[in-house]
Amino acid sequence: MERLIFHVDVNSAYLSWESVRRVKSGLPDLRLIPSCIGGDPESRRGVVLAKSIPAKKYNIRTGEPISMALRKCPGVVIAK
């Protein structure tokens, strides 16, 4: 039997799922504003797990520290 390996990248799915949850609660759609998933914005710890397309304009990258993302875009919305 031939070995088959799947790699599924679901990082952006986390942002979409959180966006849907927030929109249902009357909050802004994270997909339309500079936003990212991951870390703790209050302590400025952790890393960016996923980012919105508007966050890309600020050169925010997956895997970088939350503190760096906040320096690049002080208004970025960070969802846990």
Side-chain angles (χ1 to χ4, degrees), residues 53-67:
I53 291 173
K56 289 181 182 181
K57 293 177 185 173
Y58 293 92
N59 204 27
I60 294 174
R61 301 197 182 274
T62 303
E64 78 180 359
I66 291 294
S67 59

Side-chain angles (χ1 to χ4, degrees), residues 39-70:
D40 181 4
E42 286 82 35
S43 68
R44 301 173 66 94
R45 296 187 67 162
V47 297
V48 174
L49 299 176
K51 64 189 177 302
S52 65
I53 291 173
K56 289 181 182 181
K57 293 177 185 173
Y58 293 92
N59 204 27
I60 294 174
R61 301 197 182 274
T62 303
E64 78 180 359
I66 291 294
S67 59
M68 188 174 292
L70 287 165

Side-chain angles (χ1 to χ4, degrees), residues 12-44:
S12 61
Y14 292 126
L15 187 98
S16 294
W17 297 330
E18 180 62 16
S19 270
V20 169
R21 187 190 71 75
R22 291 171 63 102
V23 168
K24 286 181 180 179
S25 300
L27 296 170
D29 188 341
L30 294 177
R31 296 168 293 185
L32 303 176
I33 58 176
S35 58
C36 57
I37 301 290
D40 181 4
E42 286 82 35
S43 68
R44 301 173 66 94

